[in-house]
Amino acid sequence: MMRSGNPALKESTFLDLGSGTLVQGDAGAMTLNGTVNKTAMLLVLTLAGALFTWSQFSAALAAGNPGAVMPYVWGGAIGGFIVALVTVFKKQWSPFTAPLYAVLEGLFLGAVSAMFELRFPGIVIQAVGLTFGTLAALLLAYRSGLIKATENFKLGVVAATGGIALLYLVQIGLQLFGFKGMGFIHDSSLLGIAFSGFVVVIAALNLVLDFDFIEHGVEQGAPKYMEWYAAFGLLVTLVWLYLEILRLLSKLQSRN
């Protein structure tokens, strides 16, 4: 049994919807090295997109019009969301949609990161370092057997992830109707910091579920394109983790 809190990586991903049997590819099978390489490619594309919008924000700020970068923010966020949905439902397209998703997310992350950096100098390098440090630490813990993706562990992480997603949706709904909603999600109170810390932990634990998912896919001999799909799923988790760490750090620094 495979379970992941990541909506892109779930138990049925490797199964044919008609027969319920494992999907096999004609051009070779999914490998761990292949997945790692695809993940690295997606990270490079994300970085390229982020550097572009970061430079655009700096230029717009120098010209006295920082709002000029907002089309990149909304284009990257909405475009990335749409491409992610397409990838989830058409995983065979992932060799094409996953790189596109990475670029779009890069556009979004670069602009958002530049805005945070303007207000809290040095925060971005801290968030990037903590994100990849968490990735490395959890991968080491998973490979060494220190953390095991047991069924109870998976159920707990999936339930917590779903609860967080529901809470965010309720908050967005309240704001759309003009209500303040749950202020602790965004404010820098002790409750707000504790909430962000909890979300960061859950986002990080989703990486363990993703590692387990990828390992099982390799063991089952999933088709080659699943390397792109698995890399895409891992990138989704990393983007979420980075944004939550950025949010947590901004709350901590705003109290200084």
Side-chain angles (χ1 to χ4, degrees):
M1 297 287 287
M2 294 180 290
R3 181 180 285 108
S4 173
N6 189 330
L9 302 179
K10 55 186 179 179
E11 182 180 348
S12 62
T13 297
F14 300 121
L15 302 180
D16 179 81
L17 296 181
S19 64
T21 58
L22 177 68
V23 177
Q24 293 290 347
D26 296 328
M30 176 182 179
T31 66
L32 184 58
N33 286 339
T35 305
V36 170
N37 291 337
K38 293 336 186 264
T39 302
M41 293 179 196
L42 294 187
L43 288 174
V44 169
L45 290 173
T46 304
L47 178 61
L51 289 176
F52 173 77
T53 46
W54 183 292
S55 65
Q56 291 297 307
F57 180 81
S58 299
L61 186 64
N65 185 26
V69 78
M70 291 309 295
Y72 294 111
V73 175
W74 290 111
I78 297 174
F81 178 72
I82 293 173
V83 173
L85 286 179
V86 172
T87 307
V88 169
F89 288 103
K90 290 289 186 178
K91 50 186 175 292
Q92 296 89 342
W93 297 359
S94 57
F96 308 101
T97 57
L100 179 58
Y101 170 81
V103 172
L104 289 169
E105 282 301 301
L107 295 177
F108 168 71
L109 291 177
V112 169
S113 298
M115 294 175 188
F116 272 93
E117 184 70 16
L118 180 64
R119 185 176 178 186
F120 306 104
I123 192 174
V124 170
I125 190 64
Q126 295 175 32
V128 171
L130 286 171
T131 300
F132 285 99
T134 301
L135 173 65
L138 287 176
L139 180 58
L140 179 62
Y142 176 77
R143 296 299 294 174
S144 65
L146 186 63
I147 296 180
K148 296 182 179 180
T150 63
E151 282 304 306
N152 287 336
F153 178 89
K154 295 174 185 178
L155 283 171
V157 174
V158 170
T161 302
I164 292 169
L166 180 60
L167 194 64
Y168 280 161
L169 287 174
V170 170
Q171 172 67 11
I172 292 172
L174 290 173
Q175 290 180 330
L176 288 175
F177 286 98
F179 296 99
K180 182 180 179 181
M182 296 162 282
F184 66 88
I185 291 179
H186 303 292
D187 64 37
S188 57
S189 64
L190 291 178
L191 179 58
I193 291 174
F195 173 76
S196 287
F198 172 75
V199 176
V200 167
V201 170
I202 297 303
L205 292 179
N206 268 276
L207 290 173
V208 176
L209 271 61
D210 295 344
F211 298 152
D212 182 69
F213 176 89
I214 293 169
E215 184 176 54
H216 278 77
V218 172
E219 290 175 353
Q220 292 185 16
K224 197 69 175 176
Y225 65 79
M226 291 303 297
E227 293 176 353
W228 283 107
Y229 189 81
F232 155 76
L234 188 56
L235 181 62
V236 170
T237 302
L238 287 173
V239 168
W240 178 35
L241 178 61
Y242 170 74
L243 288 173
E244 294 298 346
I245 289 176
L246 202 60
R247 186 200 298 266
L248 175 59
L249 291 176
S250 68
K251 288 182 178 182
L252 291 171
Q253 292 193 26
S254 65
R255 292 179 62 88
N256 295 335

